[in-house]
Amino acid sequence: MQASRARLFKEYKEVQREKTADPDIQLVCDDSNIFKWTALIKGPSETPFDGGVFQLAFSVPEHYPLQPPQVRFLTKIFHPNVHFKTGEICLDILKTAWSPAWTLQSVCRAIIALMAHPEPDSPLNCDSGNLLRSGDVRGYQSMARMYTRLAAMPKKG
Amino acid sequence: MDDDYASTDEDYQYSDQDVEEEDSVGEFYENADDSIQLPSSIAPAAQVITKESLIVAQKEDLRRVMDMLSVRQEHARIMLIYHRWDVEKLFEVYVEKGKAFMFAQAGVSVDEYHDSGSLDSAIVMCEICMDDIPSDEATRMDCGHCFCNTCWTQHFFVKVNEGQSKRIRCMAHKCNSICDEAVVRTLLGRKHPDMAEKYARFLLESYIEDNNKVKWCPSTPHCGNAIRVGGDDDLCEVECSCGEQFCFKCLSEAHSPCSCLMWELWEKKCRDESETVNWITVHTKSCPKCHKPVEKNGGCNLVSCICGQAFCWLCGGATGRDHTWSSIAGHSCGRYKEQEKSAERAKRDLYRYMHYHNRYKAHTDSFKLESKLKDIIQGKISITEEKHSGRKKTELNDYSWVNNGLLRLFRSRRVLSYSYAFAFYMFGDELFKEQMSEAEREMKQNLFEDQQQQLEANVEKLSKILEEPFDTFKYAKLMEIRMQIITLSALIDDLCKKMYECIDNDLLDSINLGSVHSIAPYKSKGIEKASELPVCWSNKADNTEMLLSEKDSCIYAASVGVTAELNQSEESGCSSRKRARKEGGFFDLNLPAEVVDRN
């Protein structure tokens, strides 16, 4: 318990210090609970998520960093490896390939990378995965862009 | 006459033994049972592995790998666990893919990290907790990754708790390397001694759990033993030292001449059906429309099924619904009619099952009843012994013929009862319908049933004779009975053997594709008793002096070269460094095998 708290505190300081270094990621810790974090990440450019801002929720386990944090999308997103309803993410480093050397910040970076390079062969969102697997990249992109506009962009006017 | 005896006996037991005098026959029988536990040098017999002999049991495999590849014991263990303790497979990988591949695949880092420069600096930064810590509180694994002891300890704790003791990986990202045993035990032992113990136990038990040749004894409550079989064939029946007899392949009770699959089906069928089937046949009739069994819960003989169909309880035929107390509209079942085909078929299947099941059950029940004979017969023997104590010693000095006859009876009863389950599947439609033509099946069935009947008849005869009150007999009659029992036993043994041969060669041979239905070989002397492994290991002997181990043995683990270590252990058998690793109360996994022996 103490170890995870100490480590999270370190990460918190690190985030404060490097706030400007990575403008795509904005990690915020819950005011009252250091085991709850949220992050705002920018959709990577040249992808259908470009221009959108996506919110992630982190739930850090007691044995962190020896066990991976639980991360899910709060913002709706059309992506093969993200569950459309729950926002659950299928990413190896959050499951079996987790290493304690990862930080919350680096997890965010991995998720941004996943947004740019989906893995349609292990889909959580079958519709999205099937579009990509059948080679309909345009269909996938237009769907994803539509949901990005609907859910991840501030409404104008 | 005497010559006659001897020759019969000789045939019965071992033809290679020299039996000349009547006298030796007795002794011979006495030994017959002891010889079940053949010394392991003669046959690659099954062995019992107890908690105590677990270390000794795996030492040979470890030794082979260590000698062949000149690696440390812990590395040998990691690789053996990876290859499920299949030494041949490990060597195969070594020959085909090379040493480097073999090490990398299993997660062994033998290329020790040479740059110890960073350890020399007083402060290291642990990438896990991001703390700066003095270098003597950090540990560098063989793979070169260095983290602080607190983080390592927690990592080990979490992994052991998750039940992943056997392959605890390094914490670094994408590092496949398995953590050093000694480090794990030292670090874990400081804070969580119970966990370190658990870790050591899991590591040792890998020999049982990740090994095709070793299995836990299936006894309940568990006796704590495991059984290792010799040879290449895991198809055999063994008896654990706790008395549990089981089929090594499927871990259910010993069931030859049934194959494992047949036995599984049979057991399930018996469990699911016998009671239910009995009740259903007695209390219900099946509806002529939906074929569900219907129970009559009172009222007249016009029964109405939940599907709406009305039928006559007396004949089971469908009827109209209008009825009076004396007659049902459009129905008179007093007249005899041929029954319908489909109903006939279901009935035939059931009768067929009941035929086999009843006989199977009868023999199992007889077996249970006859088990009680043992004590009764002991009593009879002692009476007879007293009665004929005045006799010449050479003629009747021992009664092992009775006991041997009894054992033969038990064994053949088993065989008989399981042979009915076998026959049910062998000649039924369930398993082999496609593989045999009707004519072929009939021929095989006749062949088998002839043998079965012969065996059955003789077993019953033996059972009857054994129950005779021979303690009241005169000497001449006693000798006659003795003769009968001996010849019958020999005959039965032979018949059993022939039946197994017949099953193997004539029945299953042509249709047993992929050998799914192979059966365990017949053992004339009954189910093989697994012999005990000698325990050469005493746990407490010299542990106490080692209690105060080097505090930093973990750091040492990274810095001592493999070769140096091997040399040391070769020279002195137990180097001081190796001793230093030992933690009180745990098994020392790293002790060279010969030291284990010496202790």
Side-chain angles (χ1 to χ4, degrees), chain A residues 1 3-4 6-7 10-11 14 62-67 92-93 97-103, chain B residues 127-132 147 150-152 154-159 161-162 170-174:
Chain A
M1 199 71 167
S4 54
R7 152 96 180 225
K10 289 252 166 52
E11 282 193 42
E14 190 81 9
E62 193 186 325
H63 282 297
Y64 182 81
L66 299 149
Q67 285 171 340
D92 59 347
I93 62 142
W98 169 258
S99 149
W102 289 86
T103 61
Chain B
E127 280 179 51
I128 304 300
C129 58
M130 297 174 173
D131 258 336
D132 291 330
F147 302 106
T150 324
C151 287
W152 276 126
Q154 247 203 324
H155 175 60
F156 300 148
F157 182 88
V158 168
K159 289 293 165 189
N161 219 10
E162 282 173 1
C170 165
M171 286 195 283
H173 179 50
K174 286 203 169 152

Side-chain angles (χ1 to χ4, degrees), chain B residues 257-495:
Chain B
C258 271
S259 71
C260 293
L261 180 59
M262 285 175 183
W263 179 247
E264 193 193 326
L265 292 170
W266 179 257
E267 225 188 359
K268 187 166 184 300
K269 200 173 173 71
C270 292
R271 201 173 44 231
D272 291 353
E273 291 190 13
S274 8
E275 290 306 310
T276 334
V277 160
N278 285 342
W279 191 89
I280 286 174
T281 43
V282 173
H283 296 280
T284 72
K285 286 212 163 101
S286 59
C287 163
K289 190 176 166 202
C290 67
H291 302 289
K292 280 199 189 78
V294 177
E295 181 193 9
K296 185 164 117 96
N297 56 0
C300 72
N301 279 332
L302 179 84
V303 180
S304 161
C305 172
I306 47 167
C307 71
Q309 175 68 46
F311 65 97
C312 168
W313 184 255
L314 294 176
C315 70
T319 67
R321 298 192 72 88
D322 299 325
H323 69 292
T324 63
W325 285 111
S326 55
S327 69
I328 299 167
H331 182 70
S332 59
C333 67
R335 295 175 194 277
Y336 182 77
K337 252 196 294 179
E338 282 290 330
Q339 271 176 316
E340 279 172 87
K341 260 199 169 161
S342 64
E344 184 72 353
R345 205 191 132 68
K347 214 169 181 181
R348 209 184 55 214
D349 280 354
L350 184 65
Y351 278 139
R352 184 166 181 280
Y353 167 67
M354 275 161 61
H355 168 90
Y356 286 109
H357 184 260
N358 287 343
R359 278 155 187 79
Y360 160 77
K361 196 90 180 45
H363 285 296
T364 338
D365 291 347
S366 303
F367 177 73
K368 277 178 203 146
L369 284 175
E370 281 158 359
S371 303
K372 290 176 197 151
L373 259 182
K374 212 167 183 175
D375 296 332
I376 301 171
I377 282 201
Q378 278 317 317
K380 285 188 198 167
I381 286 176
S382 45
I383 293 173
T384 325
E385 242 169 3
E386 214 150 276
K387 215 165 115 192
H388 299 287
S389 56
R391 290 262 164 196
K392 254 200 298 171
K393 233 193 164 198
T394 45
E395 281 175 29
L396 208 96
N397 66 339
D398 107 304
Y399 292 85
S400 54
W401 49 272
V402 192
N403 285 325
N404 280 303
L406 198 62
L407 287 174
R408 179 60 55 210
L409 178 68
F410 292 159
R411 284 165 204 156
S412 47
R413 274 280 184 225
R414 278 186 88 95
V415 172
L416 258 182
S417 63
Y418 295 125
S419 78
Y420 278 103
F422 168 81
F424 178 78
Y425 287 107
M426 184 69 219
F427 309 115
D429 290 341
E430 209 166 316
L431 291 175
F432 300 119
K433 197 182 182 186
E434 305 298 314
Q435 279 101 322
M436 280 190 291
S437 67
E438 199 63 41
E440 199 183 348
R441 185 204 318 215
E442 205 181 311
M443 197 189 74
K444 285 183 170 181
Q445 188 164 359
N446 283 333
L447 185 72
F448 178 76
E449 281 176 358
D450 278 351
Q451 299 210 3
Q452 200 182 25
Q453 291 320 299
Q454 267 189 55
L455 178 62
E456 193 163 31
N458 284 300
V459 169
E460 295 304 343
K461 223 192 269 174
L462 180 64
S463 170
K464 186 165 166 279
I465 293 175
L466 278 168
E467 280 181 32
E468 291 209 27
F470 63 82
D471 48 332
T472 60
F473 289 173
K474 293 243 162 56
Y475 182 69
K477 191 149 184 219
L478 189 65
M479 288 315 273
E480 196 182 309
I481 281 222
R482 171 178 179 275
M483 190 58 227
Q484 275 178 335
I485 289 179
I486 289 172
T487 33
L488 261 179
S489 299
L491 180 64
I492 289 172
D493 182 33
D494 201 42
L495 282 171

